Amino acid sequence: MSKILITAGPTYERIDPVRFIGNYSSGKMGFALAQSCAEAGHEVILISGPVQLQINHANIQRIDVESASQMYEVVMQHMPHCNGAILCAAVADFTPIVVSEKKMKREKENLVIELKPTQDIAAAVGKSKRDEQFLVGFALETNDEEQNALGKMQRKGFDFIVLNSLNDAQACFGYDTNKITILHKDGRKEEFPLKTKKEVAADIVAKLPLI
Ligand code: C5P
């Protein structure tokens, strides 16, 4: 049986005590993957950003985080003990340089919040992972989809990348359905029809080199 690390959901990057920068990721795809792996008898470490989802399976250890930097720490801590990872989370690419301790007040002037890049968790895992560990990533693209996804797979050291397009109705954020294309590092490309996220999860899990 394999031990699989899965990241899911968005991250929230704090601006002040009551505000954050987030994104529309629901976490549904990552949770469906965790459920599917667990039901197949594998052990799952599910590292989730803030989501409105529950999951209950003896094989799933859920660890909730809020920010990209927290997700990075927890992923790097657990990855050495896993057979592989599926990085499904929509991690923020930027985070505020300064987090205001007090709630920011309304002003007449424009407000400028300076952001710095977050750690790329996938790239860090890709660099530090052992050869026998598998790594799967996701890509959500609005344009030049396949070319961008291929570049990402190479840069981050993925074995394959799951591409979902914002151009497909009913796919992605919040929906219970998804339409994916899998691009493999050996150049193979597999296109799937629109399916429930549960079925999509089963298709992805079927591609993993599980033991
Ligand atoms: O570069 P982009 O964010 O589009 O890459 C998507 C892939 O990289 C996903 O698998 C996502 O979970 C992962 N990622 C990450 N850490 C980041 C940004 C993206 O793990 N900071």
Side-chain angles (χ1 to χ4, degrees), residues 74-91:
V74 177
V75 168
M76 296 315 269
Q77 182 191 333
H78 287 273
M79 188 63 197
H81 317 295
C82 292
N83 297 95
I86 310 172
L87 303 177
C88 195
V91 185

Side-chain angles (χ1 to χ4, degrees), residues 7 68 71 86-93 118-123 136-141 152 155-156 158 161:
T7 65
M71 187 174 277
I86 310 172
L87 303 177
C88 195
V91 185
D93 290 321
T118 54
Q119 285 261 27
D120 189 329
I121 301 168
V136 174
F138 274 68
L140 174 64
E141 303 290 341
K152 240 167 241 185
R155 269 200 313 279
K156 305 192 190 206
F158 297 151
I161 190 160

Side-chain angles (χ1 to χ4, degrees), residues 5-205:
L5 184 152
I6 298 174
T7 65
T11 64
Y12 286 0
E13 307 304 318
R14 272 173 71 155
I15 297 170
D16 72 12
V18 297
R19 303 187 181 94
F20 59 85
I21 299 172
N23 62 68
Y24 292 119
S25 172
S26 65
K28 285 177 180 173
M29 194 61 244
F31 276 58
L33 283 161
Q35 189 74 31
S36 184
C37 291
E39 282 172 8
H42 301 288
E43 210 182 318
V44 177
I45 310 268
L46 174 62
I47 302 167
S48 177
V51 295
Q52 301 296 321
L53 297 173
Q54 264 151 32
I55 199 157
N56 197 359
H57 194 291
N59 291 357
I60 301 175
Q61 183 192 346
R62 172 175 175 174
I63 303 171
D64 287 328
V65 297
E66 183 175 292
S67 65
S69 73
Q70 288 168 357
M71 187 174 277
Y72 174 84
E73 294 298 332
V74 177
V75 168
M76 296 315 269
Q77 182 191 333
H78 287 273
M79 188 63 197
H81 317 295
C82 292
N83 297 95
I86 310 172
L87 303 177
C88 195
V91 185
D93 290 321
F94 295 95
T95 193
I97 291 180
V98 178
V99 180
S100 172
E101 278 177 30
K102 294 189 191 128
K103 184 182 170 193
M104 291 164 95
K105 294 269 179 284
R106 176 190 292 277
E107 308 269 1
K108 288 214 172 71
E109 300 296 312
N110 290 348
L111 170 67
V112 177
I113 300 173
E114 204 177 342
L115 307 175
K116 62 180 180 192
T118 54
Q119 285 261 27
D120 189 329
I121 301 168
V125 172
K127 213 180 238 175
S128 61
K129 80 174 189 67
R130 301 187 299 274
D131 283 349
E132 78 274 11
Q133 290 177 305
F134 66 82
L135 188 59
V136 174
F138 274 68
L140 174 64
E141 303 290 341
T142 52
N143 54 283
D144 301 322
E145 302 167 316
E146 284 187 22
Q147 208 176 330
N148 285 332
L150 283 172
K152 240 167 241 185
M153 172 164 57
Q154 275 152 15
R155 269 200 313 279
K156 305 192 190 206
F158 297 151
D159 296 294
F160 65 83
I161 190 160
V162 182
L163 174 61
N164 28 163
S165 163
L166 262 186
N167 301 326
D168 289 316
Q170 304 278 293
C172 294
F173 296 132
Y175 282 104
D176 288 319
T177 48
N178 202 359
K179 187 169 177 298
I180 61 160
T181 301
I182 295 183
L183 304 174
H184 294 266
K185 67 176 176 195
D186 63 10
R188 275 179 305 127
K189 170 179 156 182
E190 296 177 283
E191 285 180 273
F192 296 81
L194 187 72
K195 294 185 179 198
T196 65
K197 285 186 175 170
K198 192 176 173 185
E199 291 167 324
V200 172
D203 287 340
I204 294 167
V205 173

